[in-house]
Amino acid sequence: MNAEIICVGTEILLGNIVNTNAAFIAERISRLGIECYNQCVVGDNMDRCIAQLKDSSSRSDIIILSGGLGPTEDDITKEAVAKFLRLPLVEDEASRKSIEAYFAKRGKEPTENNWKQALLPKGAKAVPNDNGTAPGIIIETKNCKYILLPGPPIELEAMFDSQIMPYLRGLGAGAIFSRTVKIVGVGESEAETMIKDMIDAQTNPTIATYAKTAEVHIRVTAFGSDEKEARKLVKPVVKELKSRFGNNVYAAEEEVSLEQSVVELLATNKMSLSTVESCTGGMISSMIVNIPGASDVLKCAFVTYSNKAKRKLVGVKKGTLDKYGAVSKQTATEMAKGGAETAKSDVCIAVTGLAGPGGATDTKPVGLVYIGCCIKGEVRVREFHFSGDRTKIRTLSAKNALILARECILEYISKVDFG
Amino acid sequence: MNAEIICVGTEILLGNIVNTNAAFIAERISRLGIECYNQCVVGDNMDRCIAQLKDSSSRSDIIILSGGLGPTEDDITKEAVAKFLRLPLVEDEASRKSIEAYFAKRGKEPTENNWKQALLPKGAKAVPNDNGTAPGIIIETKNCKYILLPGPPIELEAMFDSQIMPYLRGLGAGAIFSRTVKIVGVGESEAETMIKDMIDAQTNPTIATYAKTAEVHIRVTAFGSDEKEARKLVKPVVKELKSRFGNNVYAAEEEVSLEQSVVELLATNKMSLSTVESCTGGMISSMIVNIPGASDVLKCAFVTYSNKAKRKLVGVKKGTLDKYGAVSKQTATEMAKGGAETAKSDVCIAVTGLAGPGGATDTKPVGLVYIGCCIKGEVRVREFHFSGDRTKIRTLSAKNALILARECILEYISKVDFG
């Protein structure tokens, strides 16, 4: 069984809004094991909407449309589907009542065009809308099922989870389950080479790699008669990936971010953190603070963008700055050490680099970044050469700072464990 | 001239990621006055990608594809287009060199599959990628132009603005010119009401308002026989908007961000800045540092997430924290004052609030945020009640901190000017 998604709305074609409805619907139906090969967007235009319905109905069992159910002139989705299926529009008593109730509750009078929303294609099933006036609509034909949903995400998402998911489950599609193994310290092509045999042999589960900024995500997706069976198929593959990539795996859940894995690593080992940032300017501490519970680990953070701040706040020596410069292994070392001492934290991450566009010298190009990590007095510094614009270089610096910190913490723990 | 957008990627069909590329591209081409009637998404599948190219090329003059240019086996966009157009893939010398350079710079060895990215359909033009290894590709046929772009937004967006926009402008009959007036302190509907007469009367230039996080953008777009003519049409409208919104206008250029306007305001008035952040955790300083030249204004920044840090780093009184709590007008005041004194900066922005999900009390709900701005010893504090998740609340806090700072600086300057 396969479905496709048609989002109707000129505002999407103009790029005025990001199409989050498509992502929401896609994620939901993929969970049900319903294949989705196509997503598309058409404007509020009767002819193009009908043309799309013609294409879509020729290749899909289920067509999910969102948007264009509103009361105004340019809402044409329902009319287009009715015209395409040659169904007359008839008033639905229940829908009319719920529209009356909706306005009564708000002490408002429905305008004439609100009643347009009570009209349904003949034989269609209305899906109550708890968050708006436009009911959803389900139309079943011999070859294809049409599901029309309101455009506002708050209305669509609630309706989908409470009523469309059960309906789709009722169609008996089986279930999909997937997990994402998240890796750092290995490039995408290197990662793929390491698991080429698994990828070549894949059928169910399937394995796909995705390159992210300073990370690689490997998604394992299995199809089963029910979720339990799908989970069972995914488990050994995830286990194999974990054993192949070892400590490079920082998470095996879609939801867990790199910064969260670092916060959790610190929390479980009762270690505190501080940061001293130059070119990243607070990006690292901001990523850390975005994790609920960051207060358990983050003692404080310094942005020492100027040399003066480097000296005043974390005690980098004037001599070091004069002799080696602000962007140097030596300065990064003193920033990390000084930050840990000032903050009295177990771990301190320090970053100093040239994010550009200006500031480059013959010996120090834009993209040169030194990242230091001090853990219990021991400092490790790594040199990086990033390329890209200022934002890219700063983002890569922040990500790699978290990666270095994670590496140092893991090593420290293993040493401690061995006594 | 009409274009359509094909985004290639199974991760989009699975709903793993939201398709921001489509919105970005759509917004850009709409600015050029290029009509866009269709957007679609296909998976990493050769046959379905070719089927889509068949449809699209029958109805569109320009087809913009994103994604699927990576080095791995499931990246098939380039191969699909080449197969569809019956073009052999040949190695592009320049692309091969830039891949060599990309890896050399990182002291890494390209793997075999990286070279795949140097292959281009015969006769195609390579578009350099400053942020990754996959070059963009432009193929011109008699009836249709194909533009292939890398999937990672950071690569796609930079490439589009620097190279694809000029290319598309070159194709255009006539020229589109638009400017965006950026406003703070006025809601979208209020802004719309203030210019309803202009919107109702619009023909060329057109006027469109966009609600952004804590901002409203008004885009004025004119079409002319050449850019000079289009510019001439836009000018008086922008002037009128500026006079209607006065100081609420922080920029009249698309590229100028709120943080940049604050940095420039400080720089032109030779004023220095420091920040003291609690729930925003460095987000504000990071936004500031992202602006080239931030070093001229930012003295230093503190992330005082814990009470201890608030006391130790910027001298918030223990009594204040005990009596009023960390999230209070009084604490925000002392953070701003203390930050300015410690950093010896003319201006200091301080933020303390509850970003949630936990931490709420009967008197202090999640979303309660106090923002203080100290300028030459004078402190102004404002109370906010934001809603949304942790990220949303933190972002709104950072934005509104910049807005408050801007307001205070402008007032201070005007006072000084009057002697």
Side-chain angles (χ1 to χ4, degrees), chain A residues 12-13 16 26-27 39-41 189 192 219 281 285-286 289-290 301 303 305 312 342 387-388 390-392 394, chain B residues 12-13 16 26 39-41 72 106 113 131 154 210 281 285-286 289-290 295 301 303 312 342 390-391 394:
Chain A
I12 308 174
L13 289 181
N16 298 349
E27 193 277 332
Q39 283 177 11
C40 61
V41 178
S189 40
E192 195 169 271
R219 173 164 266 258
S285 59
S286 184
V289 168
N290 203 42
V303 175
Y305 196 50
K312 241 182 68 181
T342 315
S387 59
R390 189 173 174 89
T391 308
K392 176 104 190 271
R394 295 178 63 242
Chain B
I12 307 174
L13 290 179
N16 299 349
Q39 282 177 12
C40 61
V41 177
T72 66
R106 288 163 181 67
N113 50 14
N131 298 295
I154 192 162
Y210 303 97
S285 58
S286 183
V289 168
N290 203 43
S295 46
V303 175
K312 244 182 66 181
T342 316
R390 187 174 176 90
T391 309
R394 295 178 64 240

Side-chain angles (χ1 to χ4, degrees), chain B residues 157-307:
Chain B
E157 293 176 9
M159 185 183 289
F160 206 94
D161 283 342
S162 65
Q163 297 169 88
I164 304 303
M165 285 297 271
Y167 171 75
L168 292 172
R169 263 194 218 94
L171 302 176
I176 286 256
F177 179 73
S178 59
R179 274 182 73 180
T180 301
V181 177
K182 299 184 168 185
I183 295 165
V184 291
V186 182
E188 189 190 17
S189 43
E190 186 186 348
E192 234 163 26
T193 315
M194 286 171 69
I195 57 170
K196 192 170 184 323
D197 57 318
M198 296 173 74
I199 292 173
D200 292 343
Q202 71 180 344
T203 48
N204 183 29
T206 55
I207 302 169
T209 64
Y210 303 97
K212 305 279 177 182
T213 306
E215 304 184 23
V216 174
H217 295 182
I218 305 177
R219 177 171 296 130
V220 182
T221 308
F223 184 78
S225 55
D226 56 23
E227 189 177 318
K228 189 155 169 289
E229 185 189 322
R231 277 178 179 278
K232 226 163 131 187
L233 290 162
V234 167
K235 201 172 176 192
V237 180
V238 168
K239 192 167 171 236
E240 175 62 20
L241 289 170
K242 280 179 167 174
S243 76
R244 289 198 189 191
F245 291 100
N247 263 350
N248 293 99
V249 178
Y250 75 77
E253 314 295 337
E254 182 63 44
E255 314 70 47
V256 178
S257 63
L258 177 59
E259 49 270 36
Q260 184 176 343
S261 74
V262 171
V263 168
E264 285 167 1
L265 190 60
L266 288 162
T268 37
N269 293 282
K270 308 229 174 328
M271 296 173 97
S272 59
L273 175 73
S274 65
T275 61
V276 181
E277 305 184 55
S278 188
C279 64
T280 45
M283 192 184 273
I284 300 169
S285 58
S286 183
M287 289 164 84
I288 295 287
V289 168
N290 203 43
I291 307 302
S295 46
D296 302 339
V297 302
L298 185 69
K299 280 209 154 180
C300 64
F302 304 93
V303 175
T304 58
Y305 196 50
S306 64
N307 282 357

Side-chain angles (χ1 to χ4, degrees), chain A residues 5 12-20 22-24 26-30 36-43 48 52 55 59 187-190 192-193 196 199-200 207-213 219 221 254 278-287 289-296 298-306 308-309 312-313 342-344 356-357 366-367 385-392 394-396, chain B residues 5 10-20 22-24 26-30 36-44 48 52 55 59 70-75 102-103 105-106 108 111 113-114 130-132 152 154-155 158 210 212 219 278-296 298-306 308-309 312-313 341-344 356-357 390-391 394:
Chain A
I5 303 166
I12 308 174
L13 289 181
L14 288 173
N16 298 349
I17 62 169
V18 174
N19 189 359
T20 55
F24 176 87
E27 193 277 332
R28 290 298 194 270
I29 60 179
S30 75
C36 179
Y37 300 130
N38 299 83
Q39 283 177 11
C40 61
V41 178
V42 291
R48 279 188 287 273
Q52 186 58 57
D55 278 3
R59 64 191 176 195
E188 187 190 15
S189 40
E190 185 185 348
E192 195 169 271
T193 314
K196 192 163 185 331
I199 291 172
D200 292 344
I207 301 169
T209 62
Y210 304 107
K212 306 282 177 180
T213 306
R219 173 164 266 258
T221 308
E254 184 64 45
S278 189
C279 63
T280 47
M283 191 185 272
I284 300 169
S285 59
S286 184
M287 289 165 84
V289 168
N290 203 42
I291 305 303
S295 45
D296 302 340
L298 184 69
K299 280 209 157 181
C300 63
F302 304 92
V303 175
T304 59
Y305 196 50
S306 64
K308 202 164 173 191
K312 241 182 68 181
L313 300 185
T342 315
K344 298 192 175 46
V366 167
H385 294 265
F386 299 124
S387 59
D389 60 15
R390 189 173 174 89
T391 308
K392 176 104 190 271
R394 295 178 63 242
T395 308
L396 283 166
Chain B
I5 302 165
T10 300
E11 66 273 33
I12 307 174
L13 290 179
L14 288 172
N16 299 349
I17 61 170
V18 175
N19 189 359
T20 55
F24 176 87
E27 192 274 337
R28 288 300 195 268
I29 59 180
S30 75
C36 178
Y37 300 129
N38 298 84
Q39 282 177 12
C40 61
V41 177
V42 291
D44 307 308
R48 278 187 290 271
Q52 185 59 57
D55 278 3
R59 64 189 175 197
T72 66
E73 294 199 346
D74 60 0
D75 295 302
Y102 184 91
F103 280 93
K105 188 169 175 192
R106 288 163 181 67
K108 283 189 180 175
T111 58
N113 50 14
N114 284 114
D130 301 331
N131 298 295
I154 192 162
E155 299 178 28
Y210 303 97
K212 305 279 177 182
R219 177 171 296 130
S278 188
C279 64
T280 45
M283 192 184 273
I284 300 169
S285 58
S286 183
M287 289 164 84
I288 295 287
V289 168
N290 203 43
I291 307 302
S295 46
D296 302 339
L298 185 69
K299 280 209 154 180
C300 64
F302 304 93
V303 175
T304 58
Y305 196 50
S306 64
K308 203 164 172 191
K312 244 182 66 181
L313 300 184
E341 283 160 11
T342 316
K344 298 193 173 48
R390 187 174 176 90
T391 309
R394 295 178 64 240

Side-chain angles (χ1 to χ4, degrees), chain A residues 94-115:
Chain A
S95 298
R96 185 180 178 93
K97 282 204 166 54
S98 70
I99 291 171
E100 281 168 353
Y102 182 91
F103 281 95
K105 191 175 168 192
R106 288 160 179 71
K108 284 186 179 173
E109 270 304 308
T111 58
E112 240 339 289
N113 53 15
N114 284 115
W115 300 121

